[in-house]
Amino acid sequence: MTPFGERLRALRDQHGISLTELAHALHVSPAYLSALEHGKRGRPSAGLIHQVNEHFGLIWDDGEELVRLARLSHPRVVVDTSGLSPQATELANRLARRIRDLPESRVAELLALLEAPPEQASGRSVACPSPDR
């Protein structure tokens, strides 16, 4: 599931709307909406995000949050490390290889590290088990 899909499902649950009802209201197929929720489709279009915001009456911060989540919801990420350090390339490759095995608590730790301002992140140490274990 993607961040956008998780939020969309939560909105449907909060408003008691089925997937089929929402799909009909947004003029998309239930299969497409289901695929978005489950991370089997790429990012939703700006138009669809706007429709969802309007349908649920999301404005200001809530509407912007849905846009932010959509940007972070591409299920097949490509990381271009050309021109970066060998360590950056190693990090991208190890993460790609190990992400399915990381416990949610470790994912949360890594996200917190990445969300911290650079001056705070550089002083932080997150202990990670060796990827070869």
Side-chain angles (χ1 to χ4, degrees):
M1 183 173 281
T2 65
F4 178 84
E6 180 180 50
R7 180 68 177 127
L8 186 60
R9 180 173 286 173
L11 285 167
R12 285 193 310 100
D13 288 346
Q14 288 170 5
H15 291 85
I17 298 172
S18 73
L19 184 108
T20 302
E21 291 169 328
L22 182 59
H24 180 70
L26 299 177
H27 305 288
V28 297
S29 73
Y32 173 72
L33 212 52
S34 177
L36 271 178
E37 284 190 3
H38 290 92
K40 298 190 187 321
R41 291 296 301 245
R43 289 181 207 108
S45 69
L48 183 67
I49 298 165
H50 178 74
Q51 286 179 283
V52 171
N53 281 336
E54 280 193 350
H55 185 80
F56 291 111
L58 304 179
I59 57 171
W60 307 107
D61 291 345
D62 292 331
E64 289 177 18
E65 176 67 3
L66 196 63
V67 170
R68 184 187 77 78
L69 292 174
R71 279 192 210 117
L72 297 172
S73 290
H74 199 293
R76 293 189 183 113
V77 178
V78 175
V79 180
D80 181 2
T81 62
S82 59
L84 299 179
S85 70
Q87 292 83 7
T89 300
E90 180 180 354
L91 172 63
N93 280 278
R94 284 187 177 198
L95 184 57
R97 189 173 69 238
R98 297 273 321 274
I99 194 147
R100 290 188 182 277
D101 300 329
L102 292 175
E104 284 300 313
S105 61
R106 184 52 49 102
V107 172
E109 289 173 15
L110 291 170
L111 280 172
L113 180 66
L114 292 172
E115 290 172 358
E119 61 276 1
Q120 288 181 357
S122 63
R124 258 193 197 163
S125 174
V126 175
C128 294
S130 170
D132 299 325
R133 283 191 209 167

